Amino acid sequence: MTTIPPPDGARKPRPTRHRGPVMLRGGEPDPRTVGTTTDQRLLDLRGPTDWVHTDPWRVLRIQSEFVEGFGLLAELPRAVSVFGSARTRPDHPHYEAGVRIGAALARAGYAVITGGGPGAMEAANRGASEAGGLSVGLGIELPFEQELNEWVDVGISFRYFFVRKTMFVKYAQAFVILPGGFGTLDELFEALTLVQTRKVTRFPVVLFGTEYWSGLVDWIRGTLLESGTISAGDLDLFTVTDDVDVVLSRIREAETAGQNGEGRGGMRAPLSPPVEPVEG
């Protein structure tokens, strides 16, 4: 039998192996799996547990967190997510504001969703619970121990921030932002981005505490707007107030707009048309 040599420059055959539906060519096979099947490895005696920390396994863990969150929250009544600093002390005016906001939302028929921690989150949960409303806490696994606060009626703790963030938005009709730090700012700007890009609609964002937020708002107006990195209409994406009644009125306005089919996206004014790309 005559073997015809491959043409010059042709790619040499590479070892081919299969891992379920995945085909792998080249490289050395894993010596631990040579001559075995997936079923065999599943039923074999347990070896090292490093496999539970691999990326493919994390995908299943992430999936399970979404399933748990969706299953727990799917039957929530209309709800509002309230954010604020975990460091707010019970004797601070911001804590008292959180209690008032939580109670007002509960009396208006809204469930109150927080991060389930202490401080401003506890205050909003407490206000909702004491007013007879549903108080929800979505906790997060942190390097330091942090239990869900005692005012949470329904709670779940997540491993992954992005799964938790999805729950905050998916099951809420509005965000109320009390004074807070990096975590609070993270939720604030994510919400504004989702409304600006129309990923969510009829979603008011209310900043509570004009003195606390004034510096940030001035920077948004004086730097972002002046630099052209946001549009003038983007200033309508949020409301700043010290009045709990204004918080409720903004949420109700957006709810009514949704019922009337008005595409205002949670803004105080109608959404502007998308910006056309500039030919360059």
Side-chain angles (χ1 to χ4, degrees):
M1 179 177 179
T2 303
T3 302
I4 301 174
D8 292 340
R11 187 165 194 148
K12 296 180 180 179
R14 292 174 293 159
T16 300
R17 59 192 186 279
H18 293 271
R19 192 172 64 196
V22 179
M23 181 188 70
L24 301 171
R25 282 201 178 113
E28 294 295 326
D30 188 337
R32 295 171 297 180
T33 62
V34 172
T36 67
T37 66
T38 301
D39 280 340
Q40 180 184 342
R41 292 192 296 273
L42 172 65
L43 298 174
D44 247 347
L45 293 175
R46 291 181 179 271
T49 58
D50 291 349
W51 62 275
V52 300
H53 303 294
T54 61
D55 287 343
W57 178 252
R58 287 192 182 100
V59 171
L60 296 179
R61 185 179 289 168
I62 291 165
Q63 182 184 48
S64 73
E65 289 214 343
F66 276 113
V67 171
E68 288 287 346
F70 291 159
L72 177 69
L73 304 174
E75 296 182 357
L76 275 187
R78 56 190 185 151
V80 174
S81 291
V82 181
F83 300 96
S85 175
R87 304 182 186 188
T88 302
R89 300 184 308 275
D91 60 351
H92 196 283
H94 294 164
Y95 187 97
E96 187 268 338
V99 173
R100 287 192 292 117
I101 289 170
L105 290 169
R107 287 193 291 267
Y110 296 98
V112 172
I113 304 174
T114 79
M121 294 174 281
E122 175 187 292
N125 285 135
R126 178 176 179 175
S129 181
E130 289 181 336
L134 181 61
S135 177
V136 181
L138 307 181
I140 186 70
E141 182 182 81
L142 295 172
F144 46 88
E145 195 67 27
Q146 181 172 294
E147 295 289 335
L148 294 175
N149 68 68
E150 62 180 318
W151 301 99
V152 170
D153 301 318
V154 177
I156 184 171
S157 291
F158 295 93
R159 289 186 177 94
Y160 300 100
F161 269 110
F162 59 88
V163 179
R164 181 182 184 232
K165 286 180 175 184
T166 300
M167 304 303 158
F168 280 133
V169 176
K170 180 172 175 58
Y171 294 104
Q173 295 183 254
F175 275 7
V176 178
I177 315 291
L178 287 158
F182 287 157
T184 304
L185 291 170
D186 178 45
E187 298 293 350
L188 165 61
F189 282 108
E190 179 166 51
L192 294 178
T193 302
L194 289 172
V195 179
Q196 183 196 50
T197 56
R198 308 188 195 186
K199 295 296 185 181
V200 296
T201 57
R202 296 179 295 279
F203 198 89
V205 178
V206 183
L207 301 176
F208 194 88
T210 54
E211 181 178 358
Y212 186 87
W213 295 113
S214 61
L216 176 63
V217 173
D218 289 344
W219 176 75
I220 291 173
R221 287 197 180 109
T223 301
L224 299 187
L225 183 60
E226 289 297 319
S227 300
T229 52
I230 64 170
S231 302
D234 291 334
L235 296 175
D236 288 326
L237 290 171
F238 59 89
T239 300
V240 186
T241 186
D242 292 314
D243 190 335
V244 176
D245 289 337
V246 172
V247 173
L248 288 176
S249 67
R250 285 291 300 112
I251 296 170
R252 285 169 171 158
E253 284 171 13
E255 190 172 6
T256 301
Q259 293 168 352
N260 295 337
E262 300 173 21
R264 290 169 53 185
M267 301 171 69
R268 296 194 299 272
L271 282 167
S272 57
V275 177
E276 294 295 329
V278 177
E279 298 292 339

